[in-house]
Amino acid sequence: MRAKRFHQLKKVKVRQTWNKYNLYNLSRIQAPPTIERTYYQQKWSAKSITRAYHGEVLREKKWQRMFRPYIRSVVPMNHTYLARTDGSDEAAGRGSGKDVRPDLQAGRKPARTPYMNMVYAELERRLDTAIFRAMFASSTRQARQFVIHGWVKVNGKKMIYPGYRLNPGDMFQVEPDRVLFATGAPKDREERRASRVYRSKMAAKDEENTEMPPPSKSTPSKNTSSTDPPAPKEPKNIVPQLLAQAKAILSNPSDALTVKRKQSLRAFRETLRRTLSRPNSLTDSIDAQLQEMAHKLNISLPDSTAEPDAFDSPAPTPSSTNNLAKTMAISDAEKRLLKEALIDARENPIDPSKPYATPWRPREYMSAFAFVPRYLEVHHKVCSAVYLRHPVARPGWAEVPTPFNIEQNGLAFNWYLRRR
């Protein structure tokens, strides 16, 4: 039996994903017809359409147990008036003889509170939905995969249950490399070919390192004194030896190592591989890199502190004119641009070992879904977010993101309200 397509184009169903077909379905979404349908049919069709977007990975029975007929809402009040008075006029009900003053009535613009758009507010507490809302994953299913595979932490502890309900004040964080993979553009054909070449080269290096004989314990000679310190080794020579030792320990089928120890060794091996793939230059400072590049290109950088004197400078000679192409000074603006390019290359380098396109760039059709709800406080640099509070309804709008109008959500609310 052929599986159904997740993004259907004939029968429009909107999903919680950044897919381009989902964006196309969003552009042509329409309310279902209600002329020749009974009220029961209208409620069922509204439930079917809205459930395809809200919690489609959740079973219907489980969602019916999660459903709450009570809706959280807030009503903004005039803080200036409350500061001047005790608020008894605002608290007085109808028929008590309290009349609102004309100056307060004139400034009020009553707006309709969309309570029915809060039907699926309980689903916003789920961890996988919160990860998708915080823009750490391109879909709810991908966020669910991140949680199950152990890439998500809640309050500093690993959480492997995507249905975990967040409480106000909970902080969750996702592995930054997974977020870059989820929100970054996929590799094209050339980048995939470069990744295959890189993997084959790394595999050949691993084989060479494993075939290297272990260093033999040589007896110390009589001429060398025991007080002499050992000669320091180059960092680049130590890294392959460490990589070979780590691989030899992991390849040995012994029960002495625990699972956590093996994971630590694998992570250490990947770090060593990245260190070997870096260029031979070990200069970390941007200014040092500029000087190194200038030395390689035979360019003299201008010194901003010393200003040459026009009278003390010697007259140009033919030999100096011929060597002008070799020793050519660049301006401060060009130096600043070169420095920015070096910083960008350091922070966003080209790395064929990554599963996403490098340098990193956002994926296509991402801007249409780039928003963060008000009940989340997101820090994208560290891939962490805080669940501030539960979503509420306010006059004029609701904090639960939904692509459906209030009529469809109202029909879905009545469907589940009848089954309580």
Side-chain angles (χ1 to χ4, degrees):
M1 182 178 178
R2 187 177 180 181
K4 294 182 180 180
R5 293 189 58 181
F6 184 64
H7 302 285
Q8 300 181 11
L9 298 180
K10 293 183 179 180
K11 185 178 180 181
V12 179
K13 282 193 175 182
V14 184
R15 308 286 188 177
Q16 286 186 356
T17 177
W18 297 352
N19 193 278
K20 59 181 180 180
Y21 299 108
N22 188 53
L23 183 62
Y24 176 67
N25 288 336
L26 273 173
S27 64
R28 62 194 189 103
I29 186 173
Q30 294 180 357
T34 58
I35 298 177
E36 297 181 354
R37 292 187 178 182
T38 62
Y39 188 59
Y40 179 87
Q41 293 174 341
Q42 295 177 23
K43 291 190 297 182
W44 191 92
S45 60
K47 182 268 301 182
S48 176
I49 293 174
T50 55
R51 279 281 287 127
Y53 178 81
H54 295 281
E56 51 91 15
V57 297
L58 203 64
R59 296 191 303 270
E60 187 68 16
K61 290 292 184 182
K62 190 172 182 179
W63 160 240
Q64 288 180 7
R65 292 193 298 267
M66 289 177 59
F67 174 75
R68 295 292 180 270
Y70 310 105
I71 296 175
R72 298 183 181 92
S73 62
V74 294
V75 178
M77 306 182 72
N78 192 353
H79 59 278
T80 305
Y81 171 72
L82 292 176
R84 290 197 307 263
T85 62
D86 59 350
S88 59
D89 294 342
E90 295 281 347
R94 294 181 181 179
S96 61
K98 297 288 187 179
D99 296 331
V100 182
R101 293 183 304 179
D103 55 346
L104 295 177
Q105 187 67 28
R108 291 181 176 177
K109 294 181 180 179
R112 185 181 179 185
T113 304
Y115 293 103
M116 293 296 99
N117 286 345
M118 300 289 296
V119 183
Y120 300 99
E122 287 294 323
L123 292 176
E124 301 298 317
R125 293 182 57 186
R126 287 176 57 91
L127 181 58
D128 52 358
T129 307
I131 292 173
F132 172 71
R133 298 298 187 194
M135 297 179 60
F136 293 156
S138 60
S139 64
T140 310
R141 294 192 173 191
Q142 190 178 45
R144 184 183 180 90
Q145 185 185 37
F146 288 170
V147 177
I148 294 175
H149 288 188
W151 301 107
V152 180
K153 292 182 179 179
V154 178
N155 297 328
K157 297 182 180 179
K158 185 185 294 186
M159 178 58 64
I160 59 173
Y161 302 106
Y164 175 77
R165 298 190 197 182
L166 297 172
N167 297 315
D170 286 349
M171 186 185 72
F172 59 92
Q173 53 188 359
V174 188
E175 190 70 23
D177 202 16
R178 296 294 94 193
V179 177
L180 293 175
F181 168 71
T183 59
K187 291 184 177 182
D188 54 10
R189 182 177 298 177
E190 297 295 332
E191 292 172 337
R192 290 196 297 269
R193 184 182 295 111
S195 298
R196 289 194 296 268
V197 173
Y198 172 78
R199 286 195 297 269
S200 62
K201 288 183 179 179
M202 294 305 299
K205 285 184 179 180
D206 291 344
E207 292 179 358
E208 292 178 1
N209 294 331
T210 53
E211 292 175 359
M212 290 175 58
S216 60
K217 297 182 180 179
S218 59
T219 58
S221 61
K222 298 180 180 179
N223 297 331
T224 59
S225 60
S226 59
T227 59
D228 295 338
K233 297 182 179 180
E234 293 293 332
K236 288 293 183 180
N237 298 333
I238 300 175
V239 172
Q241 298 178 7
L242 293 176
L243 183 62
Q245 293 177 5
K247 189 170 183 180
I249 294 174
L250 289 174
S251 60
N252 187 15
S254 62
D255 298 335
L257 294 177
T258 61
V259 178
K260 191 172 183 180
R261 181 62 177 169
K262 289 182 180 179
Q263 292 177 355
S264 302
L265 283 174
R266 291 191 185 99
F268 178 67
R269 186 179 61 181
E270 293 298 327
T271 306
L272 293 177
R273 286 179 177 176
R274 287 192 227 102
T275 305
L276 287 175
S277 64
R278 291 175 183 171
N280 295 327
S281 175
L282 296 178
T283 56
D284 295 332
S285 174
I286 296 296
D287 295 331
Q289 289 186 10
L290 280 174
Q291 297 294 337
E292 184 182 356
M293 291 181 63
H295 178 71
K296 290 181 179 180
L297 298 176
N298 201 5
I299 296 176
S300 61
L301 295 175
D303 191 2
S304 58
T305 58
E307 296 183 357
D309 193 358
F311 296 98
D312 296 339
S313 60
T317 59
S319 59
S320 63
T321 306
N322 295 333
N323 295 332
L324 183 62
K326 295 183 179 179
T327 59
M328 180 177 57
I330 62 176
S331 62
D332 293 339
E334 293 175 348
K335 182 179 178 181
R336 184 169 57 253
L337 290 176
L338 183 58
K339 190 173 184 179
E340 293 176 358
L342 284 174
I343 293 174
D344 190 20
R346 171 186 288 184
E347 295 179 353
N348 194 8
I350 298 177
D351 191 355
S353 64
K354 299 296 183 182
Y356 48 86
T358 53
W360 186 90
R361 58 185 182 272
R363 60 184 303 166
E364 295 180 350
Y365 312 103
M366 179 181 174
S367 59
F369 307 95
F371 69 94
V372 178
R374 297 188 66 177
Y375 56 86
L376 291 177
E377 186 69 27
V378 184
H379 198 301
H380 288 285
K381 289 187 178 180
V382 296
C383 300
S384 299
V386 178
Y387 185 79
L388 299 176
R389 52 179 171 76
H390 299 308
V392 296
R394 302 175 183 270
W397 58 285
E399 291 185 350
V400 176
T402 178
F404 309 105
N405 54 27
I406 191 172
E407 287 78 12
Q408 293 185 13
N409 287 322
L411 291 171
F413 180 80
N414 291 329
W415 170 271
Y416 291 112
L417 190 64
R418 182 175 176 272
R419 272 152 176 73
R420 292 297 295 174

